């Protein structure tokens, strides 16, 4: 099985890249090169995220992909309507508004991912603090109950 084998130590292979990904990219490159150029340029923030934050997990990548994908809808639609015309595709990727929207979408996605992670940690810390406080109250009550029962016991 080719997908199960490990890559040789000296080979340059992108992580998670399979042989069929190359076939799909080759088919897209031969069928719609202009649209693939637009998609490649607009997906560049994902590459930048992976380079800047190598610890980015799949969940963070999916959040960024969702936001960037939303920003890619209009340029890809325009490229599709022009049948992948190079002039239209180059015009789409050289528009400053489109590029700014693409990078702002990636930034917003990163901000949402970080804020949700921080919020989740704060939420879990608050729940743990409440549980600890409840357990400490219960321990104090039981200690008082058991200590007072020893003092009230008749001496023999």
């Amino acid at each position: 099985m080719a997908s199960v084998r490990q890559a040789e130590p000296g080979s340059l292979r992108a992580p998670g890249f399979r042989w069929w990904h190359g076939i799909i990219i080759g088919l897209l490159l031969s069928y719609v090169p202009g649209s693939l150029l637009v998609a490649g340029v607009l997906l560049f923030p994902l590459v930048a995220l992976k380079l800047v934050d190598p610890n980015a997990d799949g969940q963070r990548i999916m959040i960024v992909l969702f936001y960037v994908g939303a920003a890619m809808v209009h340029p890809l639609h325009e490229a599709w309507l022009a049948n992948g015309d190079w002039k239209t595709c180059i015009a789409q990727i050289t528009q400053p508004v489109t590029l700014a929207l693409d990078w702002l979408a990636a930034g917003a996605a990163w901000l949402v991912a970080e804020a949700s992670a921080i919020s989740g940690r704060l939420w879990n810390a608050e729940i743990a603090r409440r549980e600890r406080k409840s357990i400490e109250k219960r321990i104090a009550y039981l200690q008082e109950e058991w200590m007072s029962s020893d003092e009230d016991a008749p001496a023999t």
Side-chain angles (χ1 to χ4, degrees):
M1 291 181 129
S3 63
V4 178
R5 263 189 326 186
Q6 297 295 325
E8 289 80 29
S11 69
L12 295 174
R13 186 173 160 198
F17 192 77
R18 305 274 188 250
W19 63 270
W20 53 272
H21 291 146
I23 292 175
I24 291 173
I25 291 173
L27 287 173
L28 287 174
L29 190 58
S30 66
Y31 184 64
V32 284
S35 298
L36 190 62
L37 175 70
V38 172
V41 168
L42 294 179
L43 285 175
F44 188 72
L46 281 172
V47 175
L49 172 69
K50 202 63 175 164
L51 291 175
V52 170
D53 188 10
N55 296 330
D57 56 347
Q59 182 180 10
R60 184 168 296 155
I61 297 294
M62 288 304 291
I63 291 172
V64 173
L65 185 60
F66 178 74
Y67 278 69
V68 170
M72 288 173 54
V73 169
H74 178 69
L76 285 176
H77 185 252
E78 290 294 322
W80 183 263
L81 289 178
N83 292 325
D85 181 40
W86 279 103
K87 186 177 179 182
T88 305
C89 293
I90 300 268
Q92 288 297 317
I93 61 174
T94 56
Q95 289 181 0
V97 174
T98 302
L99 295 175
L101 183 63
D102 188 45
W103 283 93
L104 286 174
W110 177 82
L111 186 63
V112 165
E114 290 296 321
S116 64
I118 291 170
S119 300
R121 286 182 181 166
L122 289 174
W123 179 269
N124 289 338
E126 178 64 22
I127 289 174
R129 186 190 65 78
R130 287 182 185 172
E131 288 178 5
R132 186 179 66 240
K133 196 173 189 180
S134 170
I135 290 171
E136 287 173 352
K137 281 183 182 179
R138 182 74 177 150
I139 288 172
Y141 172 76
L142 290 174
Q143 283 177 340
E144 182 181 322
E145 181 180 325
W146 282 89
M147 294 300 186
S148 65
S149 66
D150 287 344
E151 293 171 1
D152 295 340
T156 53

